[in-house]
Amino acid sequence: MRSSEKKQVEESKKAASNGAVVSDINGVPSVPDSAREDISNATSESEDEDWHNSSSDNDGDSSSISDNTDESSDEDDEDTKAINEAMLDYMGALEERRQREALGSEEEEPRSARTEVESDSSEDEVPSRNTIGNVPLHWYKDEQHIGYDLAGKKIKKKEKQDQIDSFLAHTDGSKSWRKIYDEYNDEEVELTKEEVDMIRRIRAGRIPHAEVNAYEVPYVDWFDWDGKGHPLSNAPEPKRRFIPSKWEAKKVVKLVRAIRNGWIKLDKPKEKPKFYLLWGDDLKATEKTANGLTYIPPPKPKLPGHEESYNPPVEYIPTQEEINSYALMYEEDRPKFIPQGFQSLRQVPAYSEFIKERFERCLDLYLCPRSRKKRIDIDPESLIPKLPKPKDLQPFPNICYLEYHGHTGPVVSIAVDPSGMWLASGSMDQTVRLWEVQTARCCRVWSLDGPVRHIAWNPRKDLGILAISLQSKVLLLDLELGTSDPDEVSKLLALNPSVMDNDGDGALVTWMKHENLKALEVKHSQEVLSITWHHKGDYFTSVAPDANTRAVLVHQLSKQQTQNPFRKLQGRVVTAMFHPSRPFLFVATKMHVRVYNLVKQQLSKKLMTGLHEITSMAIHSKGDNLIVGSKEGKICWFDMDLSTQPYKTIKNHHEDIQAVAFHTAYPLFASCADDSTVHVFHGMVYNDLLQNPLIVPLKILHGHSKTGGRGILDCCFHSNQPWLFSAGADSVIKLFCD
Amino acid sequence: MAKERKKLKKKEGNAAKYTTRNKALNRLQIKLPEFRRLCILKGIHPREPKKKFEGSHKTYYHVKDINFLAHEPLLETGRALKVYKKKIKKAQAKKNWSLVTRLEANKPSYSLDHLVKERYPSFIDALRDLDDPLTMLHLFATFPAEASYKIPAETVNNCRRLSLEWQAYVARTHCLRKTFISVKGIYYQADVAGQKITWLTPHVLSQVVPNDIDIRVMLTFVEFYETLVGFVNFKLYHSLGLKYPPILDSKLEAEAAELYAVMRDLGKEAHEASEKEKDSNDFNSLSDTDTNHAQEPVNTESRLAESRARLASLQDRLSKMAKPEGNEKLLGVTDDDENMEEDENEDDDTRQCKALFKDLKFFLGREVPRESLLLLIRAFGGVASWAGDNAPFEESDEDITHQIVDRPTQGHIFLSREYVQPQWVYDCVNNRLLLPTIDYLLGRVPPPHLSPFVDNEKEGYVPEYAETLKRLQTAKEGKVLPLPGEEGSKDTEQFLESVVANRTESMEELRKTQKQAILEKTYQEELTKEIAGIPFSGSIQTMDRDEVDGEHVVEKEAYSHPETMDEEPPSAIAKAMMPRKARKLYAAMQIGKQKKQAEIDLLKERKRKSERKQNKKVAPEIEFQHTFESRCKASG
């Protein structure tokens, strides 16, 4: 049985080599079945033991083989199996080896070499030396021989190599991979290159022999494929193929109706002209948009200047240094466009930012909020208030006329006597000097036992008394001027005996006689910073800010009595002043000015200055207007009839205002500050209540130099001339005349 | 229990008037890109409420604007298109190509006509906002139709066509007023119906689209601008009595060469037809299409011929604009065409512009920007040709008066014409006079090109060349030869004008003359001293003393007017009386002023430096001459 099968295989092989149609191994019907069977058996990897199953895939003529196998005995069956197995194993081993070689692994499983099938082709048929035929080899397993040769002699088994040797032989020999052990003949066979190639081709599912051309005869496809869903269907055509479709008919009716009714238009609609006359002839611009909002047109881009020219004037092109300096600028300060000059038009390159700029413009157009902004076109000069010319408001102190030299320390305070003949000045050098105004001659010098803080001249012309604050004392000094009445003065300055009685611990102040000067001394508990006289010359106030409730005291010279008008004071008092004609007392604290009615003993007004820190205050001779100077360099003018808010606030100095002063006769007032300037203003107060005061800045007087961080410490007007005295920290007093 | 408080909708105030962008998106139920597109097309922009009730970082829109958007048919169209696109995509995914082609063919289209009318209810409104559209279209006309930029070739072609139509109108009506070559491109300003329209065209070099821009935004803008400019062009052409669109661009582009042959024939026909037209329609202006209807009794054939002729003539013009390789015979036709225009409507300016290049014949070199120059020359009444196959006339034409070249040297030079650089044309146009060509001749560095958009007097700095131009202009107006030194004495009025205009300048000059006088004086003194034989060192001493004396004198003078010296400017004192608000405003204004002054000072400084440099360059030559002469004297 085995031989018959072999024959069959051989035949098929021959047929293949002779140019029979052998194309694809799997599923091509035109291949002779026997041949295909064989090849598929020999090559397929997936099917190992039971090739019957796999063979059952084939249809048609494979029955002959299956018949064969059915008929064949168990042995035969086993035999063929073995051959096939051997072949497959060999193939698998080959593959494995190749892989292993690729991987470079050393280990190898012991290989069970089996008999190799003799080459099937008749050409390379070599008679095998064993003649036992197609019998199971395990029959000879335990024998000393493997079979018999042609002469009938036993063929002895070869000495078996041990496994290590065979392994070494495998690994060492470069050709060992193509050596196969032929169990049937008990010998090693080396496959030739052609044989290996053939095996490889079989495995790849190609025709074993490379020289065979399978496509010599053109393939004739007798089946008409066109329009056939599946090539092989013998099913009869269904009935529905032959009768008209009801639904299609319905659909057609629908369409026809739609066309008839004009629901479906078969013709392409006529193309309307793309552009037409959209606007009429009215040439009026509209301001409103369709939604009722005012139309805000996009702002037009700025038109180019000379600098954008391709050939700008030389002066528009920045130098290289300037361009380099742009790199140091902040990004936003850097000029966006750097002018360039080209000698001729042909050298102008494409502007690289063009598209970017257009894109940014697009973004601006749809992303930027638009709003109408009223453009204020103001001439800056129109902002400056129109004031009368200073020339028309003369006389006012204009130039430095005299300088009074003599003090060695900063002149803190100055006072002019009511007649205007004399000027008294108190300084940090512990002296008080008396000057003749006209000649700048220093008439007398009083050396005192401490720095002078403030001096104030008694307003009575016939007295000639000067009040001096010396730390915690107030001296009432008789100046012994020729004009004064010496009897009255000495009477006033004589210590009142009743005062002596009063002297006690609970007293506000102590009145006493000065030891060596012709003066009366009023001793306070704290340092006195300011003294002001009542216009009648009998009363005076002293301000000692640190004395808490006793900060403001009112003294009466004639009776040598002292009162404390306030039980409680709000804030630190800076200065206190009498109203020039009515019984009012102005008390300036740090931020406010309080006006007290002395008769009713109550607060009548509180002026809100809005300043940070008041330094000085002056009252107009009529008493209804008041100016306040502050540390931030501002002057506030209060019109007390108007309101408690300042009528005008003027910021004129850069530094602390030290003093402000009103002229008693002329409509002038002045402020002096640490920036060593005196600002002179025209401050006209009208009798008409409806007319607001007129304030005109007139002059900024310079001349003093700054010493020790301080400029001008005091200023005061001459009592009847439009002259101004200023006392500087540079120990000079200056007289400014018109 | 807490009372349930209903959140009431605001009925007045900013919160009722304005809405944020996100709220608007929610209200309209669209995504941001669609919203952006709609806003661009509808011209809706954010607004600035007085109080930004949801924070200053948000964008606010007017509620009315958003309501307006909500009623926009485009919103629905957009949605429908989106759905339709999905259909196509689905069909593509299923490889149902027949369906895809069918869907593509029946794609619903939309138009923006109603938006144009809505945004610009009157024609003037449209003209007023035409700057950006024109610049955009001119830019897109130069774009490469490259797929990688995602700019459809159709858009580019359309932009090109529209911009050419616009240019043709401008050239035909002579309404171009100013032009300026800047580094960025070439600016033009036209005066159409009293509206000044300025647009910028890039230099004719290839554009590179940068990566960091969103071309979709620009394309949306262009889409609207195309519609807008189309309608504007229609209206403008209609007002001239011309058919619009003038040519089928696609045809022209497709069969370029054949079309020219056809047009040559048409051109002849048109010429004859236009003659006929003139005869028959002397009594009837051709400005309206209505006139055509009025002429119904005239046989239809002639009418057809007429319209054909008119079409053809315009085609010529446009083809000439579009493809410079036009045909010579067409030029005559177009000229005739122009003569037909009504002259009554022209104002002085137009007449002046029209006559500027009259009777001048230009020939453009290969290297000059042809389109721009053709527009200019045509708009100002000149005739131009160029180096090309189908140019109207050859380079060798004897009648050519000016040849515009921009190259270092010229091979063959015709003596009958002047070779000028392109800047000459631009400067002539801006100054409305034919400038002397001497400075603009071949191979020279032309004088600075100045912007016609700047008011020099207002800026406070007048470039030197601007003065020269002004002098030339006044000279032309007064028909007086320009004599820089004497022009004032000849015409006192002019002199006064110039003095008023250039007061600063004159002050400087005065100072210069004074300086010169002083120098001369010292020179004289030195001379007298030399004659007297006073040694040089002695003279120095005396001079020193003199100088000291002089200083004394100055001091004395200063002291002799102490009041004037001491007098502060009254404003300085008055400033103290300014209220705080005014004071701060004043200070801010001063800052602006100072900046401007600083700029002017910088310009003057640079000018002075450059002049000094030039003088230095010149000086060595003079020195050399001196030495040469002295040597000659010594030897001879």
Side-chain angles (χ1 to χ4, degrees):
Chain A
M1 198 65 241
R2 187 188 132 82
S3 58
S4 69
E5 196 196 344
K6 204 174 171 185
K7 227 181 198 173
Q8 205 178 352
V9 168
E10 275 174 25
E11 270 171 20
S12 73
K13 287 275 168 175
K14 264 180 202 162
S17 61
N18 288 341
V21 177
V22 179
S23 62
D24 203 354
I25 286 167
N26 296 318
V28 177
S30 56
V31 181
D33 282 323
S34 57
R36 217 181 75 215
E37 182 100 28
D38 195 45
I39 291 160
S40 73
N41 282 342
T43 54
S44 74
E45 282 179 342
S46 57
E47 41 192 44
D48 30 342
E49 297 305 309
D50 46 357
W51 68 290
H52 298 288
N53 294 351
S54 69
S55 68
S56 66
D57 288 353
N58 303 315
D59 42 300
D61 291 38
S62 66
S63 56
S64 66
I65 285 178
S66 62
D67 286 350
N68 272 356
T69 42
D70 284 346
E71 283 169 35
S72 68
S73 65
D74 278 353
E75 290 164 14
D76 283 3
D77 194 17
E78 221 172 314
D79 206 352
T80 40
K81 238 192 214 171
I83 293 164
N84 279 319
E85 263 175 44
M87 196 65 187
L88 289 171
D89 273 7
Y90 168 65
M91 292 304 180
L94 260 184
E95 187 64 21
E96 228 174 275
R97 175 96 58 87
R98 214 172 294 148
Q99 282 171 9
R100 221 174 288 146
E101 270 169 11
L103 285 169
S105 77
E106 291 291 87
E107 57 180 3
E108 193 189 9
E109 283 166 45
R111 216 165 55 92
S112 61
R114 290 194 195 175
T115 336
E116 209 249 319
V117 189
E118 279 178 279
S119 176
D120 284 336
S121 66
S122 54
E123 284 89 359
D124 42 71
E125 186 117 317
V126 180
S128 55
R129 57 177 185 140
N130 200 353
T131 54
I132 56 169
N134 194 10
V135 295
L137 288 176
H138 60 84
W139 291 352
Y140 292 89
K141 199 178 165 191
D142 299 329
E143 302 299 326
Q144 292 292 313
H145 60 280
I146 54 157
Y148 308 93
D149 60 4
L150 288 173
K153 281 179 183 172
K154 281 180 180 175
I155 304 169
K156 285 232 165 160
K157 269 186 187 169
K158 275 185 189 166
E159 199 87 342
K160 262 212 168 176
Q161 272 182 322
D162 62 325
Q163 287 196 337
I164 293 172
D165 285 345
S166 64
F167 169 71
L168 285 174
H170 266 300
T171 48
D172 289 348
S174 62
K175 285 185 177 174
S176 60
W177 66 272
R178 56 168 77 191
K179 277 180 187 157
I180 313 168
Y181 176 63
D182 183 2
E183 209 177 351
Y184 187 74
N185 289 326
D186 190 27
E187 61 185 10
E188 287 234 311
V189 180
E190 196 181 311
L191 295 178
T192 60
K193 206 178 171 188
E194 287 73 37
E195 282 165 339
V196 170
D197 195 39
M198 188 182 285
I199 291 167
R200 202 170 282 154
R201 290 176 71 81
I202 291 167
R203 279 176 62 80
R206 283 180 284 164
I207 297 165
H209 295 278
E211 64 273 12
V212 171
N213 183 7
Y215 306 104
E216 218 162 71
V217 178
Y219 167 63
V220 182
D221 197 359
W222 48 269
F223 189 74
D224 186 18
W225 293 84
D226 295 339
K228 305 286 189 297
H230 193 270
L232 303 170
S233 170
N234 284 329
E237 294 259 313
K239 189 184 172 188
R240 63 175 178 276
R241 303 264 165 89
F242 304 102
I243 54 170
S245 163
K246 183 181 171 188
W247 307 110
E248 273 178 16
K250 279 190 171 181
K251 183 91 186 163
V252 167
V253 167
K254 247 185 191 175
L255 287 171
V256 167
R257 189 183 295 151
I259 292 167
R260 276 191 189 150
N261 291 346
W263 300 331
I264 296 176
K265 285 190 181 89
L266 295 178
D267 305 329
K268 274 221 155 185
K270 249 174 134 188
E271 273 204 11
K272 270 194 265 173
K274 210 171 164 197
F275 299 112
Y276 46 90
L277 196 61
L278 193 67
W279 294 287
D281 284 335
D282 56 328
L283 288 177
K284 262 185 199 164
T286 43
E287 290 304 314
K288 293 260 178 190
T289 52
N291 55 2
L293 299 169
T294 44
Y295 176 59
I296 308 172
K300 297 216 170 189
K302 210 176 151 248
L303 288 169
H306 299 314
E307 70 279 354
E308 259 189 47
S309 167
Y310 89 98
N311 177 20
V314 203
E315 57 265 34
Y316 284 91
I317 305 167
T319 57
Q320 193 55 47
E321 294 96 71
E322 281 169 320
I323 292 170
N324 292 344
S325 72
Y326 294 155
L328 300 173
M329 285 176 162
Y330 284 113
E331 188 97 35
E332 52 265 29
D333 296 341
R334 219 171 283 162
K336 299 258 179 324
F337 177 81
I338 298 170
Q340 268 177 296
F342 297 95
Q343 299 273 309
S344 65
L345 189 54
R346 68 171 182 278
Q347 291 168 350
V348 182
Y351 183 57
S352 58
E353 296 286 293
F354 197 101
I355 297 174
K356 185 130 199 237
E357 276 179 13
R358 285 331 297 170
F359 177 63
E360 268 156 20
R361 172 75 180 166
C362 285
L363 290 188
D364 285 352
L365 284 179
Y366 90 94
L367 279 181
C368 278
R370 285 187 213 164
S371 59
R372 271 183 194 277
K373 285 258 158 66
K374 264 188 191 163
R375 220 191 151 83
I376 34 169
D377 202 10
I378 307 174
D379 176 25
E381 297 312 314
S382 70
L383 288 172
I384 298 169
K386 293 277 169 293
L387 296 170
K389 277 181 188 163
K391 262 183 197 169
D392 307 335
L393 302 172
Q394 275 172 345
F396 57 86
N398 200 354
I399 45 166
C400 180
Y401 187 71
L402 279 177
E403 288 185 359
Y404 301 81
H405 291 276
H407 279 293
T408 53
V411 186
V412 175
S413 181
I414 47 174
V416 190
D417 94 310
S419 64
M421 288 263 288
W422 308 99
L423 173 74
S425 64
S427 162
M428 298 291 271
D429 61 1
Q430 309 193 352
T431 57
V432 170
R433 283 172 187 257
L434 184 71
W435 312 86
E436 201 180 3
V437 169
Q438 302 273 11
T439 57
R441 188 168 61 89
C442 181
C443 299
R444 281 197 69 174
V445 182
W446 291 273
S447 293
L448 303 167
D449 48 350
V452 179
R453 266 309 158 105
H454 194 243
I455 58 171
W457 207 292
N458 190 310
R460 272 174 69 178
K461 281 185 186 173
D462 56 338
L463 284 183
I465 292 174
L466 189 70
I468 304 162
S469 79
L470 270 176
Q471 288 161 340
S472 61
K473 287 181 286 186
V474 174
L475 281 187
L476 297 164
L477 183 69
D478 180 12
L479 295 173
E480 297 170 33
L481 300 169
T483 52
S484 59
D485 182 357
D487 295 343
E488 202 180 348
V489 173
S490 55
K491 206 175 104 193
L492 278 173
L493 294 185
L495 198 63
N496 200 337
S498 62
V499 176
M500 302 285 274
D501 302 342
N502 249 350
D503 194 11
D505 289 341
L508 296 165
V509 291
T510 320
W511 292 75
M512 58 173 80
K513 193 94 183 116
H514 196 270
E515 290 133 23
N516 37 24
L517 289 174
K518 225 177 157 187
L520 202 61
E521 195 178 301
V522 186
K523 193 156 172 54
H524 288 65
S525 57
Q526 297 289 338
E527 188 178 14
V528 178
L529 289 187
S530 132
I531 311 163
T532 46
W533 287 93
H534 187 254
H535 65 282
K536 282 182 178 157
D538 194 18
Y539 290 92
F540 68 93
T541 62
S542 66
V543 175
D546 297 332
N548 296 330
T549 54
R550 296 174 182 183
V552 182
L553 297 177
V554 178
H555 311 274
Q556 191 179 10
L557 179 59
S558 55
K559 289 185 182 168
Q560 295 185 359
Q561 271 180 350
T562 302
Q563 294 171 20
N564 183 6
F566 306 110
R567 235 174 294 150
K568 201 179 157 196
L569 279 164
Q570 305 272 340
R572 188 187 159 90
V573 180
V574 177
T575 178
M577 277 182 170
F578 288 104
H579 190 281
S581 50
R582 293 164 64 195
F584 283 105
L585 183 68
F586 296 86
V587 177
T589 55
K590 201 177 167 191
M591 292 172 77
H592 309 288
V593 178
R594 289 185 172 78
V595 188
Y596 294 95
N597 190 331
L598 291 173
V599 177
K600 290 183 184 168
Q601 300 269 322
Q602 64 184 27
L603 179 73
S604 86
K605 243 173 216 166
K606 186 179 169 191
L607 306 179
M608 319 298 255
T609 59
L611 302 171
H612 291 310
E613 197 168 345
I614 295 170
T615 54
S616 53
M617 176 169 67
I619 298 165
H620 191 258
S621 54
K622 280 181 185 151
D624 281 344
N625 294 281
L626 179 84
I627 50 170
V628 169
S630 80
K631 276 208 167 166
E632 67 243 64
K634 279 184 184 169
I635 307 174
C636 288
W637 175 292
F638 284 96
D639 189 339
M640 250 125 20
D641 296 334
L642 226 58
S643 99
T644 57
Q645 299 288 335
Y647 160 64
K648 195 137 252 173
T649 304
I650 305 161
K651 164 102 175 96
N652 50 350
H653 288 286
H654 311 303
E655 289 176 58
D656 303 5
I657 290 178
Q658 291 293 342
V660 286
F662 261 117
H663 201 287
T664 47
Y666 287 93
L668 291 173
F669 70 94
S671 68
C672 64
D674 277 343
D675 55 4
S676 46
T677 56
V678 184
H679 288 229
V680 182
F681 293 84
H682 176 85
M684 188 65 172
V685 177
Y686 298 97
N687 285 327
D688 184 6
L689 285 174
L690 292 173
Q691 202 166 359
N692 286 330
L694 172 72
I695 301 169
V696 182
L698 293 175
K699 183 78 191 167
I700 300 168
L701 300 171
H702 302 272
H704 285 282
S705 57
K706 217 169 170 181
T707 313
R710 311 191 71 189
I712 301 173
L713 301 179
D714 198 6
C715 66
C716 73
F717 280 101
H718 191 270
S719 38
N720 41 34
Q721 293 290 332
W723 298 345
L724 181 85
F725 298 95
S726 66
D730 53 353
S731 65
V732 182
I733 304 164
K734 291 195 176 192
L735 169 63
F736 294 93
C737 291
D738 58 323
Chain B
M1 264 178 70
K3 209 177 175 183
E4 227 176 84
R5 199 176 289 172
K6 206 176 167 188
K7 208 177 176 187
L8 285 170
K9 214 178 173 189
K10 292 261 182 184
K11 284 186 180 159
E12 56 183 18
N14 283 323
K17 262 192 203 163
Y18 296 97
T19 174
T20 59
R21 194 190 60 191
N22 275 352
K23 278 186 182 169
L25 290 181
N26 282 342
R27 163 139 168 53
L28 298 174
Q29 288 290 299
I30 46 173
K31 292 273 178 296
L32 190 57
E34 288 137 56
F35 179 70
R36 186 171 62 195
R37 202 180 129 76
L38 271 181
C39 281
I40 292 170
L41 293 178
K42 287 275 271 186
I44 282 167
H45 51 81
R47 283 171 200 259
E48 204 125 80
K50 280 197 184 92
K51 193 183 160 201
K52 296 190 169 175
F53 51 93
E54 288 207 33
S56 55
H57 60 289
K58 299 225 170 168
T59 316
Y60 293 87
Y61 285 87
H62 203 285
V63 166
K64 276 188 181 174
D65 278 338
I66 300 302
N67 288 342
F68 195 43
L69 273 187
H71 288 97
E72 172 60 45
L74 271 184
L75 194 69
E76 214 39 62
T77 319
R79 286 189 188 126
L81 264 178
K82 210 171 147 191
V83 172
Y84 203 81
K85 263 185 194 164
K86 272 186 192 164
K87 272 186 193 170
I88 295 176
K89 210 176 175 189
K90 198 173 175 185
Q92 274 171 341
K94 291 188 170 178
K95 298 184 178 162
N96 192 350
W97 303 120
S98 63
L99 185 62
V100 169
T101 45
R102 197 154 53 85
L103 286 173
E104 292 277 13
N106 294 337
K107 208 171 182 180
S109 65
Y110 62 93
S111 76
L112 304 174
D113 304 1
H114 66 289
L115 288 182
V116 175
K117 181 71 179 168
E118 193 178 270
R119 280 176 71 172
Y120 304 109
S122 80
F123 184 52
I124 286 291
D125 296 331
L127 285 180
R128 202 167 49 178
D129 279 359
L130 213 55
D131 291 13
D132 286 312
L134 285 175
T135 308
M136 237 358 203
L137 292 189
H138 278 90
L139 170 66
F140 266 71
T142 62
F143 267 169
E146 223 177 277
S148 62
Y149 291 145
K150 291 184 179 165
I151 303 163
E154 196 192 340
T155 308
V156 174
N157 290 338
N158 198 23
C159 288
R160 175 101 187 118
R161 191 175 56 79
L162 287 170
S163 50
L164 285 173
E165 282 164 12
W166 167 260
Q167 286 181 12
Y169 174 80
V170 167
R172 192 187 166 89
T173 53
H174 307 286
C175 61
L176 196 65
R177 291 291 172 269
K178 286 170 180 175
T179 171
F180 175 53
I181 317 171
S182 94
V183 172
K184 295 181 179 177
I186 302 174
Y187 286 88
Y188 301 95
Q189 193 175 61
D191 186 357
V192 180
Q195 296 292 322
K196 277 186 180 149
I197 299 162
T198 317
W199 73 98
L200 170 64
T201 63
H203 290 297
V204 262
L205 293 158
S206 66
Q207 297 286 339
V208 179
V209 182
N211 290 326
D212 54 344
I213 66 156
D214 187 358
I215 201 79
R216 285 172 304 168
V217 171
M218 291 182 96
L219 280 172
T220 313
F221 269 101
V222 164
E223 191 184 350
F224 178 72
Y225 289 161
E226 277 175 82
T227 321
L228 170 65
V229 175
F231 278 110
V232 169
N233 280 353
F234 186 93
K235 170 85 181 167
L236 292 173
Y237 276 68
H238 181 263
S239 69
L240 291 181
L242 296 170
K243 191 175 159 37
Y244 187 88
I247 46 165
L248 297 170
D249 208 30
S250 56
K251 253 192 193 172
L252 183 119
E253 273 172 10
E255 9 177 315
E258 290 95 322
L259 201 89
Y260 289 130
V262 174
M263 277 200 313
R264 193 170 290 142
D265 293 344
L266 265 178
K268 280 175 198 162
E269 223 174 286
H271 189 67
E272 289 156 18
S274 60
E275 302 269 81
K276 262 190 227 161
E277 206 171 49
K278 251 198 257 176
D279 296 336
S280 62
N281 298 341
D282 264 351
F283 57 93
N284 205 342
S285 82
L286 287 160
S287 60
D288 274 346
T289 44
D290 296 35
T291 53
N292 278 349
H293 291 288
Q295 289 173 342
E296 213 80 313
V298 185
N299 62 350
T300 43
E301 265 185 39
S302 72
R303 247 187 59 213
L304 224 140
E306 257 173 46
S307 60
R308 253 168 72 202
R310 202 178 293 165
L311 191 96
S313 71
L314 219 111
Q315 275 179 345
D316 303 343
R317 291 188 45 70
L318 268 164
S319 71
K320 212 150 47 56
M321 306 291 315
K323 307 260 159 174
E325 290 82 30
N327 142 22
E328 55 194 274
K329 299 202 173 165
L330 303 178
L331 205 77
V333 176
T334 50
D335 282 345
D336 281 359
D337 237 23
E338 273 168 36
N339 292 341
M340 296 194 311
E341 285 171 31
E342 313 110 293
D343 285 320
E344 305 98 67
N345 289 353
E346 290 179 357
D347 52 350
D348 281 350
D349 223 7
T350 314
R351 219 165 286 145
Q352 205 186 348
C353 287
K354 199 175 166 183
L356 182 65
F357 289 146
K358 213 175 180 185
D359 306 330
L360 294 186
K361 242 179 156 181
F362 292 87
F363 188 84
L364 312 181
R366 264 187 304 117
E367 65 282 0
V368 299
R370 189 184 293 158
E371 193 183 312
S372 169
L373 280 168
L374 272 180
L375 170 64
L376 280 191
I377 293 168
R378 301 293 305 162
F380 286 82
V383 178
S385 177
W386 54 88
D389 289 342
N390 294 313
F393 45 85
E394 294 292 309
E395 192 180 352
S396 53
D397 194 329
E398 288 294 312
D399 296 339
I400 293 171
T401 53
H402 293 84
Q403 180 155 351
I404 296 163
V405 285
D406 190 8
R407 53 178 87 178
T409 48
Q410 175 80 11
H412 180 74
I413 286 180
F414 291 91
L415 291 174
S416 62
R417 64 183 78 153
E418 290 184 90
Y419 287 83
V420 288
Q421 296 196 28
Q423 196 195 318
W424 180 79
V425 180
Y426 292 86
D427 281 352
C428 285
V429 161
N430 285 337
N431 294 296
R432 301 282 152 71
L433 90 153
L434 292 175
L435 296 171
T437 52
I438 184 102
D439 290 335
Y440 298 90
L441 286 181
L442 182 74
R444 292 195 186 189
V445 177
H449 182 55
L450 300 173
S451 167
F453 304 112
V454 181
D455 185 359
N456 285 323
E457 262 74 77
K458 212 176 166 190
E459 288 293 310
Y461 180 78
V462 187
E464 203 180 350
Y465 192 61
E467 279 175 58
T468 318
L469 289 175
K470 196 166 188 183
R471 215 177 293 133
L472 285 169
Q473 252 172 344
T474 46
K476 185 204 163 199
E477 276 160 22
K479 300 283 176 199
V480 181
L481 281 170
L483 286 171
E486 289 176 317
E487 109 253 51
S489 59
K490 281 191 179 173
D491 195 337
T492 46
E493 269 186 24
Q494 274 179 26
F495 178 71
L496 274 177
E497 266 178 25
S498 63
V499 162
V500 170
N502 314 323
R503 192 185 289 161
T504 49
E505 218 40 53
S506 61
M507 285 287 277
E508 271 188 8
E509 269 181 26
L510 202 79
R511 231 171 280 151
K512 266 184 202 168
T513 49
Q514 277 177 351
K515 224 184 249 175
Q516 271 186 346
I518 290 165
L519 280 173
E520 246 171 74
K521 207 178 161 189
T522 50
Y523 177 69
Q524 289 283 345
E525 279 170 8
E526 272 174 66
L527 261 183
T528 49
K529 272 175 199 166
E530 224 173 58
I531 290 161
I534 298 167
F536 187 62
S537 54
S539 76
I540 284 177
Q541 279 172 5
T542 50
M543 247 176 65
D544 277 355
R545 218 178 299 140
D546 275 1
E547 265 180 25
V548 170
D549 282 351
E551 272 174 26
H552 268 293
V553 167
V554 169
E555 272 175 39
K556 269 176 204 163
E557 273 177 359
Y559 273 104
S560 64
H561 309 289
E563 274 169 291
T564 50
M565 283 295 287
D566 233 27
E567 197 84 33
E568 311 218 0
S571 63
I573 306 169
K575 267 179 220 163
M577 294 302 290
M578 278 156 78
R580 190 180 51 190
K581 225 176 178 179
R583 195 166 54 225
K584 288 196 170 161
L585 186 61
Y586 185 82
M589 282 173 159
Q590 282 327 93
I591 287 171
K593 250 187 176 178
Q594 278 165 10
K595 251 186 197 169
K596 209 170 181 186
Q597 191 56 42
E599 268 167 34
I600 292 166
D601 289 345
L602 181 69
L603 288 180
K604 280 181 183 164
E605 175 72 23
R606 280 186 197 149
K607 176 88 188 156
R608 224 189 54 233
K609 271 183 187 167
S610 71
E611 267 174 9
R612 206 187 293 154
K613 228 184 230 173
Q614 275 186 350
N615 286 343
K616 260 186 197 170
K617 269 181 198 168
V618 174
E621 283 174 27
I622 294 168
E623 226 169 72
F624 171 75
Q625 272 188 350
H626 276 290
T627 49
F628 181 73
E629 277 169 19
S630 58
R631 236 182 254 168
C632 285
K633 272 179 195 172
S635 60

